[in-house]
Amino acid sequence: TSVRCGYLEDETATLALGKAFAEAAQAGLVVYLLGDLGAGKTTFTRGLLTALGHAGKVKSPTYTLVESYPLSHYSVHHFDLYRFADPEEWEDAGFREHFGQDSLCLVEWPDKAADLLPRADIVLELAVAGNGRNYRLLAHSETGQSCLIRLSI
Ligand code: ADP
Ligand code: MG
């Protein structure tokens, strides 16, 4: 598996990582975002969405569990499963249909729905380090690997 890692000294650097990732990404990718509250998972997502042409706000989907963004190239679904508790809700809410070759899915707190979620192509780990954040990107599939190879950071 391929790995990319580095240091993000401020919020701008996290947004820039999201942008670089957007430029390397493709529809069909499933990305798990790991890290404590405040690690920068939603900030990274905001950088990615802005780079893909989203102009409005990026809300943290803490209560809604998912926010969907129908963008010009493909749809992005941003999950935050911190409060996910009821496996039946997964089917009832139609979350499964969000995953597929036509969309890019980003998932915060994937461990909360581990048995229901499709496997990750890429895992991004973020951790507070000093005033900034350490990050690590790991590819877990060939699609994920080719994305990391394209990544210009
Ligand atoms: P999470 O979604 O992981 O809970 P958020 O992205 O919502 O975290 O919040 C992260 C907080 O940390 C925000 O206040 C953001 O401005 C800040 N932040 C993001 N990246 C960095 C960084 N590289 N260095 C310092 N602060 C950062
Ligand atoms: Mg968040």
Side-chain angles (χ1 to χ4, degrees):
T1 58
S2 43
V3 182
R4 301 286 290 267
C5 53
Y7 184 68
L8 305 164
E9 61 181 15
D10 54 20
E11 183 191 80
T12 306
T14 306
L15 293 169
L17 179 65
K19 180 177 194 279
F21 190 88
E23 286 160 2
Q26 62 184 83
L29 275 184
V30 175
V31 182
Y32 288 2
L33 304 174
L34 306 186
D36 292 339
L37 282 175
K41 303 179 294 296
T42 299
T43 304
F44 169 85
T45 303
R46 185 152 51 89
L48 178 147
L49 284 165
T50 303
L52 291 177
H54 174 66
K57 284 192 177 180
V58 172
K59 286 185 287 179
S60 195
T62 311
Y63 293 95
T64 54
L65 300 176
V66 65
E67 285 289 335
S68 295
Y69 301 86
L71 303 175
S72 53
H73 296 292
Y74 45 79
S75 288
V76 174
H77 302 289
H78 175 212
F79 289 88
D80 180 341
L81 302 178
Y82 190 68
R83 291 174 186 280
F84 180 78
D86 178 7
E88 269 181 41
E89 191 181 355
W90 190 262
E91 299 300 334
D92 295 349
F95 288 160
R96 188 172 304 282
E97 283 89 81
H98 287 46
F99 294 85
Q101 289 311 306
D102 299 333
S103 62
L104 168 63
C105 287
L106 300 152
V107 189
E108 301 187 32
W109 302 102
D111 46 306
K112 304 273 181 178
D115 300 340
L116 301 163
L117 274 174
R119 269 185 240 247
D121 296 292
I122 293 181
V123 175
L124 169 61
E125 300 170 357
L126 289 160
V128 173
N131 291 324
R133 307 289 187 264
N134 285 324
Y135 77 88
R136 202 153 72 111
L137 283 160
L138 299 109
H140 286 281
S141 71
E142 276 186 37
T143 318
Q145 199 150 346
S146 55
C147 173
L148 289 197
I149 288 165
R150 285 193 296 272
L151 195 65
S152 59
I153 42 147

